[in-house]
């Protein structure tokens, strides 16, 4: 039992000054069997604390239906075993480059622009979520012998809004449910962010990647007393599909860390270990002017150019950070744990079986919706991750006209009378060739990740406008969903009618096997699909996430605990065009390389 408090100048443990040297590690981005190793890596780097977000949408996929909320408690227990304190950031919004910023799609679909505000119905949903979640935190507070020293109220709210009533209500919910450790907020070191996101009586912290002295000067204007803390020291950055990788030069990042600590501040390194956006949970961003923003979906890897890479290996950045942090340790730092092993030799999974998308939809899809006047959105269909097949007829006879989709989010493969005619996006939403009537149109629409930051948080997915022939809307739309959730059930693909694999260019579900020997539960692999276009991969039923030929990511991380001695099974759901009929698995990719840059935002 101990008492952790916020003093006028320092954090205090039983009255004695302490500095939090924390690292971000999200339990939901790391296979549970690897938590102990990754946490011991944090200790070896010189950290005394771990920070994690909690994604609401992962744990309450349907209203009132909770899924493995106890995972947070198990992670906090692992942190305590590793000798680390813990900071918990339960949201309800978390950003985190995670689908919908952690808000369930049923929440944003139901409440729309009322989310993250004082709206009573939205707050009622938050209250139910906190009631289910917070016992995992409360019973593990440091005052009860656990590792939890601080809890965040909301997240970077000053980048979104200014509803102080809402923020105070969120803080009140935490207190009412037994959180007694200090509460805090975190925002960018900007006046408008700190005034919008701070709460009287709660510690305000700042998020930045460099310029610590200037950032803390801004923070001090808003909070004259209390310990200084950079709650997110951005030591790297995330990546988007179709964009170049961005890395941060290790020595420059180490110098920025040194500056933070030289200010007498505490720090949370974001990310200490990034992990992976398994199972299609990656979010997306919007960039550019608010009225004409580019859509930027986030890749599956959340390596983040962190000091501990996606495969759990120390990097040059790790070595330099360890040197900086060693100066603030009470004694010698722990030795590094053994480095995780990769596959001893490369193996190939021959993808010999195949089922077309229609057959997969028939076996795993939802019931088809009755024809409607307008296409239902993913939210109206209750779909979070996955795709929807929309079908609609073009009346005839009529001469050829342009066929287009308004409000498409995010990508559609379009068939006319059973023949593939093109791929449409939000930016390019008209088929190249005109369509004559009568005709049957089929659109397989995929969400590439919901926006996780900014004013377009919670925007709906699917066909949010309509299908048009010339300027005329086509009505009587049928819709049927194929959720990624369906592949996560035991024996998921047992009912799929597989045949012999089709050649290059086919779409559908491919299945194959590979054999490995010497797997000890701590190994790993990197999986590649030469020539394949876009889709999802599962190994032994575990969802590795999305692949896409546009890059920057080429290799999907396979956690060692997913592999098993002997025969392993691979499923590949290809949505645009298959490549060579195999998947390649190797020991893992090198630490990523790209254009060095100073992370400023």
């Amino acid at each position: 039992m101990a008492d952790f408090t916020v003093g006028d100048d320092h954090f205090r443990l039983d009255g004695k000054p302490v500095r939090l040297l924390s690292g971000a590690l999200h339990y939901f981005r790391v296979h549970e069997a690897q938590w102990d190793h990754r946490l011991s890596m944090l200790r070896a780097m010189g950290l005394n604390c771990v920070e994690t977000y909690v994604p609401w949408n992962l744990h309450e996929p349907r209203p009132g239906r909770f899924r493995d909320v106890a995972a947070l408690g198990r992670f906090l227990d692992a942190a305590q075993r590793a000798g680390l304190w813990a900071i918990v950031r339960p949201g309800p919004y978390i950003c985190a480059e995670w689908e919908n910023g952690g808000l369930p799609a049923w929440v944003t679909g139901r409440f729309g622009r009322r989310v993250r505000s004082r709206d009573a119905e939205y707050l009622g949903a938050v209250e139910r979520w906190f009631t289910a979640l917070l016992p995992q935190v409360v019973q593990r507070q440091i005052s009860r012998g656990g590792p939890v020293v601080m809890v965040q109220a909301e997240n970077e709210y000053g980048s979104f809004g200014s509803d102080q009533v809402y923020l105070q209500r969120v803080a009140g919910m935490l207190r009412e449910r037994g959180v007694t450790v200090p509460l805090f907020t975190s925002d960018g070191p900007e006046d408008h962010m700190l005034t919008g996101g701070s709460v009287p009586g709660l510690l305000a912290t700042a998020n930045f990647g460099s310029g610590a002295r200037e950032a803390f000067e801004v923070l001090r204007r808003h909070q004259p007393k209390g310990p200084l803390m950079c709650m997110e020291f951005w030591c790297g950055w995330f990546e988007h599909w179709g964009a170049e990788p961005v890395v941060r030069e290790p020595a420059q990042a180490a110098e920025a860390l040194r500056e933070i600590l030289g200010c007498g501040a505490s720090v949370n390194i974001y990310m200490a270990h990034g992990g992976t956006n398994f199972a299609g949970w990656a979010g997306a961003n919007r960039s550019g002017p608010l009225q004409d923003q580019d859509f930027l979906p986030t890749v599956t890897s959340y390596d983040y150019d962190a000091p501990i890479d996606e495969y759990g290996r120390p990097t040059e950045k790790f070595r330099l950070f360890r040197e900086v942090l060693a100066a603030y340790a009470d004694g010698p730092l722990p030795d590094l744990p053994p480095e995780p092993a990769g596959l001893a030799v490369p193996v190939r999974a021959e993808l010999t079986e195949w089922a077309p998308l229609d057959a997969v939809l028939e076996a795993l899809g939802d019931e088809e919706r009755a024809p409607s006047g307008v296409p239902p959105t993913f939210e109206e269909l209750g779909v979070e991750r996955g795709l929807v097949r929309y079908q609609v007829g073009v009346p005839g006879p009529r001469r050829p006209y342009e066929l287009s989709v308004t409000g498409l989010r995010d990508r559609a493969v379009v068939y006319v009378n059973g023949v593939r005619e093109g791929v449409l996006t939000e930016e390019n939403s008209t088929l190249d060739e005109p369509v004559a009537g009568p005709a049957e149109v089929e659109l397989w629409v995929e969400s590439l990740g919901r926006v996780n930051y900014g004013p377009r948080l919670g925007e709906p997915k699917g066909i949010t406008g309509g299908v048009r022939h010339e300027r005329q809307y086509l009505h009587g739309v049928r819709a049927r969903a194929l959720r990624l959730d369906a592949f996560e059930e035991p024996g998921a693909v047992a009912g799929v009618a597989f045949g012999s694999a089709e050649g290059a260019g086919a779409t559908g579900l491919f299945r194959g096997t590979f054999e490995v020997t010497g797997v000890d539960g701590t190994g790993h692999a990197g999986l590649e699909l030469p020539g394949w276009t876009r889709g999802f991969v599962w190994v032994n039923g575990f969802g590795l996430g999305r692949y896409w030929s546009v890059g920057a990511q080429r290799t999907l991380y396979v956690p060692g605990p997913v592999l098993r001695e002997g025969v392993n099974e691979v499923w590949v759901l290809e949505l645009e065009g298959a490549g060579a009929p195999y998947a390649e698995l190797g020991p893992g990719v090198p630490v990523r390389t790209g254009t060095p840059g100073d992370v400023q935002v």
Side-chain angles (χ1 to χ4, degrees), residues 34-377:
Q34 296 172 319
W35 287 350
D36 287 337
H37 173 267
R38 303 304 192 261
L39 290 165
S40 64
M41 288 290 288
L42 264 63
R43 285 283 292 123
M45 191 163 64
L47 302 176
N48 58 24
C49 185
V50 63
E51 172 268 314
T52 186
Y53 281 125
V54 183
W56 182 4
N57 51 8
L58 182 67
H59 294 298
E60 192 180 2
R62 304 285 182 274
R65 290 177 53 190
F66 296 99
R67 177 173 61 190
D68 198 17
V69 176
L72 173 62
R74 297 195 300 274
F75 178 75
L76 295 174
D77 292 342
Q80 188 166 31
R81 286 197 303 272
L84 295 166
W85 294 318
I87 297 169
V88 181
R89 304 168 79 185
Y93 162 83
I94 62 171
C95 184
E97 289 71 60
W98 187 257
E99 161 82 15
N100 219 29
L103 297 174
W106 61 263
V107 167
T108 53
R110 177 182 299 178
F111 303 118
R113 61 194 177 93
R114 294 183 286 157
V115 300
R116 303 185 76 190
S117 79
R118 71 187 75 182
D119 179 79
E121 289 184 299
Y122 166 70
L123 285 173
V126 175
E127 192 166 27
R128 183 178 63 201
W129 160 233
F130 277 179
T131 299
L133 173 72
L134 289 176
Q136 302 295 323
V137 178
V138 169
Q139 66 193 30
R140 293 173 174 87
Q141 294 179 104
I142 195 167
S143 58
R144 300 191 182 190
V148 178
V149 294
M150 290 205 300
V151 173
Q152 181 170 277
E154 243 277 354
N155 181 60
E156 293 185 317
Y157 188 72
S159 298
F160 178 83
S162 59
D163 191 344
Q164 288 290 305
V165 172
Y166 165 61
L167 288 179
Q168 290 171 350
R169 186 70 191 99
V170 169
M173 287 183 193
L174 295 168
R175 290 297 189 215
E176 290 159 11
R177 279 153 188 80
V179 176
T180 57
V181 295
L183 301 180
F184 69 93
T185 58
S186 64
D187 289 284
E190 304 282 347
D191 288 329
H192 71 287
M193 294 180 182
L194 288 165
T195 54
S198 301
V199 179
L202 272 61
L203 178 71
T205 65
N207 300 340
F208 53 84
S210 58
R213 290 180 179 82
E214 294 81 0
F216 288 141
E217 286 175 5
V218 176
L219 183 60
R220 275 289 180 239
R221 292 205 300 267
H222 295 264
Q223 185 172 260
K225 294 182 179 181
L228 293 171
M229 183 164 188
C230 177
M231 188 53 66
E232 292 185 17
F233 164 51
W234 302 319
C235 65
W237 209 240
F238 52 91
E239 296 179 344
H240 293 124
W241 290 114
E244 290 296 317
V246 178
V247 301
R248 186 169 189 186
E249 203 276 318
Q252 189 250 28
E255 193 55 40
L257 174 61
R258 194 186 309 275
E259 182 183 0
I260 292 170
L261 299 176
C263 293
S266 291
V267 68
N268 179 50
I269 297 170
Y270 193 99
M271 298 289 297
H273 172 60
T276 310
N277 295 311
F278 295 120
W281 280 107
N285 289 283
R286 292 278 187 178
S287 70
L290 289 180
Q291 301 307 314
D292 186 28
Q293 292 193 314
D294 293 329
F295 178 70
L296 304 172
T298 301
V299 302
T300 296
S301 172
Y302 202 63
D303 177 84
Y304 213 87
D305 195 26
I308 305 164
D309 77 3
E310 188 175 13
Y311 291 73
R313 302 170 299 198
T315 66
E316 174 65 7
K317 192 174 289 182
F318 179 97
R319 186 185 69 80
L320 293 177
F321 280 17
R322 179 176 159 95
E323 288 180 1
V324 172
L325 292 164
Y328 297 89
D330 293 334
L333 296 183
D335 292 335
L336 274 66
E339 185 171 315
L343 289 182
V345 294
V347 296
R348 176 175 287 187
E350 302 291 343
L351 300 170
T352 58
E353 297 179 276
W354 169 79
L357 284 176
D358 284 338
V360 179
L361 184 64
E362 190 62 35
L364 298 177
D366 292 357
E367 292 295 319
E368 184 170 277
R369 284 289 186 98
S372 58
V374 296
T377 65

Side-chain angles (χ1 to χ4, degrees), residues 570-586:
V570 178
W571 311 332
V572 181
L573 183 67
E574 172 59 55
L575 304 175
E576 291 195 33
Y582 56 83
E584 295 179 335
L585 292 96

Side-chain angles (χ1 to χ4, degrees), residues 332-454:
L333 296 183
D335 292 335
L336 274 66
E339 185 171 315
L343 289 182
V345 294
V347 296
R348 176 175 287 187
E350 302 291 343
L351 300 170
T352 58
E353 297 179 276
W354 169 79
L357 284 176
D358 284 338
V360 179
L361 184 64
E362 190 62 35
L364 298 177
D366 292 357
E367 292 295 319
E368 184 170 277
R369 284 289 186 98
S372 58
V374 296
T377 65
F378 278 36
E379 285 70 19
E380 289 165 336
L381 293 168
V383 177
E384 189 137 40
R385 296 162 297 128
L387 57 155
V388 172
R389 184 190 67 185
Y390 294 93
Q391 295 174 299
V392 66
V394 178
R398 60 175 66 184
R399 68 184 182 86
Y401 288 112
E402 282 188 346
L403 188 130
S404 62
V405 182
T406 60
L408 175 61
R409 301 196 184 109
D410 297 304
R411 192 172 178 91
V413 182
V414 184
Y415 299 82
V416 179
N417 295 328
V419 177
R420 176 171 159 168
E421 293 292 344
V423 177
L424 301 182
T425 64
E426 182 178 19
E427 298 79 18
N428 299 293
S429 58
T430 302
L431 284 181
D432 291 338
E433 297 295 327
V435 175
E440 284 297 317
V441 179
E442 190 174 290
L443 306 99
W444 290 84
V445 179
E446 183 193 354
S447 165
L448 297 174
R450 285 180 175 80
V451 169
N452 54 256
Y453 178 83

